[in-house]
Amino acid sequence: MPFFIPFAVGGLVLTALGLGMKRVWDQGRLVESPELAQARERHAAALGALKSARLRVRTGLTSYGERQARARAEVVEPLRGLLARLERWEHARREDVLPPEALEALAALPSEPVSRAARRAWPLLGVGASVTPGWEPVLTWMERGWLQEDEAPVVLDGVCLFEAAAPWASASPVEDTDEARVRQLDTCAATLRRATDFLDALLTRLTSLEARVGALQSRAEVQLAYLDAASFEQDGPEPRERLGRLGLLVGRLVVLLCAPALGPDGRLEPEPPVSPEEAALAQT
């Protein structure tokens, strides 16, 4: 029978036996030792903190995913169209507009409409990334907050969340003493706190990437508004200067859109360095 942990509805369902209740009866009620009760409270507090962190990350994923979609629709695709016309009319080549790393990133960005389900991993893995089977349990947990014993494990920063959340649900029995159960609960609580710290760091990364993408998108839209292929017919300097500025802005934008927040091992990737163009935007 599957063992469900419904974070999404606000709690962890564990049996009295799973919590390691001391087998002492007092007037028909099950009683636990003070030490075990305190350890259980510490474990429950760690679970609550993990739940709150997951909800914050879920909100951050949604927000950054929407930003990625807007940047792609409002800047990247119009730029593709502009570059295609400029190349067709022999006014400019994309190699002269975008740096090499941006050309590579642009080629990785899908040009066709993509479903919301296909985009669900993009905030974590970068625009254009596909959901591999190993990522499915993590994404589902972040969206819904459910852990199941008989399903693929949710591993976050090297931590199996089910084992930490339900230490006696499926593992080998712990030594049946209060001291052993207190140690087990405290070990699992420490593991949950580590996972919570990781989620907080992930949210900081998502927030930073969203802010950087948003700043580049806003400035690139201004440059795009004054550019069209026909403006190059007179061969004046202004459209080419604008195209050069646009290439720097969008070049950095597409690199950030493709940058993963998490690596293949599920750990945080280094954040791309701030480019001179971004540094200049921060000062204006």
Side-chain angles (χ1 to χ4, degrees):
M1 177 181 297
F3 187 91
F4 296 101
I5 300 181
F7 281 98
V9 296
L12 172 68
V13 177
L14 293 175
T15 64
L17 178 60
L19 283 173
M21 304 289 277
K22 188 175 181 180
R23 295 186 182 90
V24 177
W25 291 86
D26 178 17
Q27 296 180 351
R29 293 184 295 108
L30 194 60
V31 179
E32 61 186 359
S33 69
E35 295 79 11
L36 187 55
Q38 293 167 8
R40 181 168 58 81
E41 290 173 0
R42 291 191 292 270
H43 186 265
L47 275 171
L50 181 68
K51 173 191 171 182
S52 297
R54 183 195 68 82
L55 292 173
R56 293 193 298 270
V57 168
R58 186 180 67 177
T59 300
L61 289 171
T62 300
S63 179
Y64 185 37
E66 292 173 351
R67 171 62 68 184
Q68 288 174 320
R70 290 197 303 271
R72 179 168 163 264
E74 298 170 10
V75 174
V76 176
E77 293 312 310
L79 177 71
R80 284 192 208 265
L82 175 62
L83 289 177
R85 290 191 297 272
L86 291 177
E87 289 179 324
R88 187 166 58 250
W89 297 349
E90 299 183 347
H91 289 317
R93 300 183 310 159
R94 65 184 61 206
E95 292 82 1
D96 300 327
V97 176
L98 297 172
E101 65 173 356
L103 287 171
E104 183 179 351
L106 183 63
L109 296 179
S111 58
E112 299 298 325
V114 179
S115 68
R116 181 182 296 272
R119 300 197 310 264
R120 62 200 290 256
W122 288 4
L124 287 179
L125 306 182
V127 174
S130 58
V131 181
T132 60
W135 282 106
E136 193 65 42
V138 175
L139 292 171
T140 300
W141 175 74
M142 286 187 174
E143 292 168 357
R144 303 178 184 176
W146 288 83
L147 298 171
Q148 295 179 237
E149 179 181 5
D150 296 332
E151 297 294 332
V154 178
V155 179
L156 201 65
D157 194 31
V159 172
C160 180
L161 295 185
F162 180 85
E163 293 178 0
W168 303 303
S170 59
S172 58
V174 178
E175 181 184 351
D176 193 13
T177 66
D178 279 3
E179 292 78 8
R181 292 185 178 275
V182 166
R183 287 195 301 271
Q184 181 75 351
L185 280 168
D186 283 344
T187 297
C188 290
T191 300
L192 293 172
R193 287 191 291 270
R194 172 185 162 192
T196 299
D197 290 342
F198 175 79
L199 287 178
D200 288 339
L202 174 59
L203 180 58
T204 298
R205 175 64 50 80
L206 294 173
T207 302
S208 175
L209 288 172
E210 181 179 357
R212 293 172 66 182
V213 167
L216 289 165
Q217 177 187 350
S218 298
R219 191 57 60 92
E221 287 177 344
V222 173
Q223 300 298 328
L224 270 171
Y226 290 94
L227 276 175
D228 59 69
S231 65
F232 287 79
E233 290 292 341
Q234 298 179 358
D235 201 25
E238 182 178 350
R240 295 197 175 275
E241 291 174 359
R242 285 191 178 276
L243 183 63
R245 292 194 293 271
L246 179 64
L248 292 174
L249 293 169
V250 180
R252 195 59 192 162
L253 174 63
V254 295
V255 168
L256 286 180
L257 286 175
C258 290
L262 298 181
D265 59 356
R267 302 180 191 275
L268 279 176
E269 285 283 278
E271 185 169 358
V274 175
S275 67
E277 293 75 33
E278 292 179 81
L281 287 178
Q283 297 174 0
T284 59

